[in-house]
Amino acid sequence: MALRNIREIGEDCLTKSCKEVKEMTPRLRELIEDMLDTMYEANGVGLAAPQVGILKRVVVIDVTGEDPYVLINPKIIETSGEQTGQEGCLSVPGKCGIVTRPNYVKAAALDIDMKPYELEGTELLARAIVHELEHLDGHLYVEKVQGGLKNVEPADESEEE
């Protein structure tokens, strides 16, 4: 598969609503595989199709690094609770901010075989679901940041223990 370029804040594709997927095609399957590869390469936990310049309602999420979810035409059907924490985005590199999200989320979507399923998540998975689905409607987390964006400190890999 191929790595795709991640679009960054300021690019038009990140502010547009995406179109529903009508059928699985070889091109769409390739897009999903590319999105997973791109997300893993960038050390992300989620990626939405508009982040790679494709205006389709497709999201991939993997908060554990070994259990990816593919969500086609996803919709949030239930939320509860609240969590406030640091959030970042592959389309807003080098920045993070404090955002309040639901602590529990249930979403309905189609899987890669276009079969309906529901995904329930708490904490990081709930945060990722809401964050990625907002991309499909042209929204970035920076719209919800409390107290402004902060620079992410790069990890110092040369430091010895």
Side-chain angles (χ1 to χ4, degrees), residues 79-85 87-88 98-105 123 126-135 139-146:
T79 65
S80 66
E82 189 174 275
Q83 60 172 308
T84 300
E87 199 164 309
I98 302 297
V99 179
T100 298
R101 301 275 191 199
N103 196 52
Y104 166 83
V105 173
E123 299 173 356
R127 179 177 293 280
I129 292 168
V130 175
H131 176 112
E132 298 308 329
L133 269 59
E134 286 181 350
H135 277 297
H139 297 288
L140 294 172
Y141 85 103
V142 297
E143 299 168 23
K144 298 180 184 273
V145 168
Q146 304 158 14

Side-chain angles (χ1 to χ4, degrees), residues 15-127:
T15 63
K16 297 186 184 310
S17 287
C18 296
K19 292 181 170 44
E20 282 208 357
V21 173
K22 303 289 187 209
E23 64 179 337
M24 180 55 63
T25 63
R27 256 180 101 177
L28 182 60
R29 196 172 288 273
E30 181 180 353
L31 169 67
I32 291 166
E33 293 299 323
D34 289 353
M35 287 174 60
L36 285 164
D37 290 345
T38 301
M39 175 186 72
Y40 290 131
E41 179 68 22
N43 295 315
V45 297
L47 191 67
Q51 291 181 274
V52 293
I54 306 296
L55 295 177
K56 293 192 180 287
R57 298 189 79 77
V58 177
V59 163
V60 295
I61 296 173
D62 187 349
V63 298
T64 66
E66 51 197 47
D67 190 19
Y69 297 103
V70 174
L71 294 91
I72 300 170
N73 300 335
K75 290 181 173 46
I76 293 174
I77 56 176
E78 187 180 332
T79 65
S80 66
E82 189 174 275
Q83 60 172 308
T84 300
Q86 188 167 283
E87 199 164 309
C89 180
L90 296 175
S91 291
V92 188
K95 302 286 184 187
C96 66
I98 302 297
V99 179
T100 298
R101 301 275 191 199
N103 196 52
Y104 166 83
V105 173
K106 182 192 285 189
L110 301 173
D111 66 14
I112 197 162
D113 297 314
M114 300 299 281
K115 291 187 169 63
Y117 78 106
E118 291 181 352
L119 174 61
E120 293 180 272
T122 59
E123 299 173 356
L124 180 57
L125 181 55
R127 179 177 293 280

